[in-house]
Amino acid sequence: MSRGTGAGYDRHITIFSPEGRLYQVEYAFKAVKASGITSIGVRGKDSVCVVTQKKVPDKLLDQTSVTHLFPITKYIGLLATGITADARSLVQQARNEAAEFRFKWGYEMPVDVLAKWIADKSQIYTQHAYMRPLGIVAMILGIDEEKGPQLFKCDPAGHFFGHKATSAGLKEQEAINFLEKKMKNDPAFTYEETVQIAISALQSVLQEDFKATEIEVGVVRKEDPVFRVLSTEEIDEHLTAISERD
Amino acid sequence: MGDSQYSFSLTTFSPSGKLVQIEHALTAVGSGQTSLGIKGFPQKFHLSDQADVKLLHRIIRPSNGVVIATEKKLPSILVDETSVQKIQLMTTNIGVVYSGMGPDSRVLVRKSRKQAQQYFRLYKEAIPVTQLVRETAAVMQEFTQSGGVRPFGVSLLIAGYDDNGPQLYQVDPSGSYFSWKASAMGKNVSNAKTFLEKRYTEDMELDDAVHTAILTLKEGFQGQISGKNIEIGIIGADRKFRVLTPAEIDDYLAEVE
């Protein structure tokens, strides 16, 4: 069995290529794009909002079971873009970790601690040959007691950063360009503005107007720090507000 | 570490006797963001008794120390730069900066912190810098030989101040480490090292070292340098490692202009 001389195995497991790259990690990023979905996250002054496409490939599918938005605890949400099966595995582990944290230490797991835990787990998959990296980019949102609204993004390479706004998936770069323009002067968006920026970013980048059933929206607000998935009616209100504004 | 299915080493010798995975890891380090460290020298006392030297250090308090610095280029302006800190503490008197793959450095920082605490629990004394460096390097070497794992894609610059004075060590993915008066790693390493060789003097004070570090980073810096896109950590005779705030860095930058 040839090993690690760059003679092909560097593309199969996470060992270094001659240029010092990890091909498996790069391919994992491609898998995120291959899902065909784009997601957006925006952090406002006292709220965080994430939006993603809801593509139901078959009319016979039960739409309520198709979701990429998962509550990890009552106060923390996770939006997974990429391979749904990997997402469910990560969500299960994250829920367990957050619950154990609460039990052990007596207070809710902070958003950045959970993000770091997820990122550290992803790093292990990039260093140990027996597990492949997960094909998902995870956006974690919550309200931190001390720091306020927080939005973190964790990727298959094990990187994690806090974001003022970010995107993942097929049209990630276009969305980031759009958001950079909007967030250039460090604006402090209200809750409504945050949600509308997120939805209109998605609409602009995908160049189509959505129906309320075609997107999923998740929010946390300082005044109500519980992670909530918006109902179709609430999404409709925001969509109407956006089209009236334009 | 590693599953039984992968109980063979992934890092093996090539026919010419090289460990290519480690070389590739060094390439990964070489494409990482530039970082550097500069050590100020303790004044030389010619005393026969070591204890007197330590006493003298405490009384006279030479204003030497170690400074480490790095570029902090983030992928987008949307990233909240306050959520990122590349320079980390291993103990209250030992800090570390890396060049290469950030996620790998987090693993090493975590393991080293634990080792430092285990030392303290056993000996009720702060771990000497050389010991911590040795143990960190041992971890990095393990990952070049154990089954089913790849080497770490980072080089570390470990800066500390203990009873032996200020110290600066560089640890490579192979697990080898050396003590340096000044060193650099990452993208701009050759220019940075040439610059440091010219500018380094043995009786540098900590403030001068910070200025030199900033000038070295400026050499290869693309774009406008500011307190938000570089990080600087210092430790002096007070033995408290600390990361400078962006405001403090901006003050130093103004002095350097």
Side-chain angles (χ1 to χ4, degrees), chain A residues 4 8 20 38 42 104 107 115 149 156-157 171 199 229 242:
Chain A
T38 307
V42 179
K104 255 204 274 187
Y107 70 99
K171 300 271 177 187
I199 298 179
V229 178
I242 292 174

Side-chain angles (χ1 to χ4, degrees), chain B residues 38-109:
Chain B
I38 304 176
K39 179 170 77 171
F41 253 67
Q43 289 151 11
K44 292 177 172 60
F45 298 107
H46 296 287
L47 293 169
S48 47
D49 191 342
Q50 263 302 97
D52 278 344
V53 175
K54 288 186 191 163
L55 187 63
L56 223 50
H57 275 190
R58 289 205 141 89
I59 298 173
I60 296 186
R61 288 187 156 257
S63 52
N64 57 61
V66 196
V67 63
I68 50 178
T70 180
E71 286 182 358
K72 187 165 100 169
K73 287 256 182 67
L74 296 168
S76 157
I77 59 161
L78 296 173
V79 174
D80 183 355
E81 72 277 354
T82 59
S83 77
V84 181
Q85 196 176 317
K86 284 178 77 173
I87 299 185
Q88 298 275 325
L89 261 79
M90 283 189 174
T91 66
T92 48
N93 64 326
I94 305 176
V96 62
V97 72
Y98 70 90
S99 270
M101 304 166 75
D104 285 8
S105 78
R106 290 203 306 266
V107 175
L108 289 167
V109 168

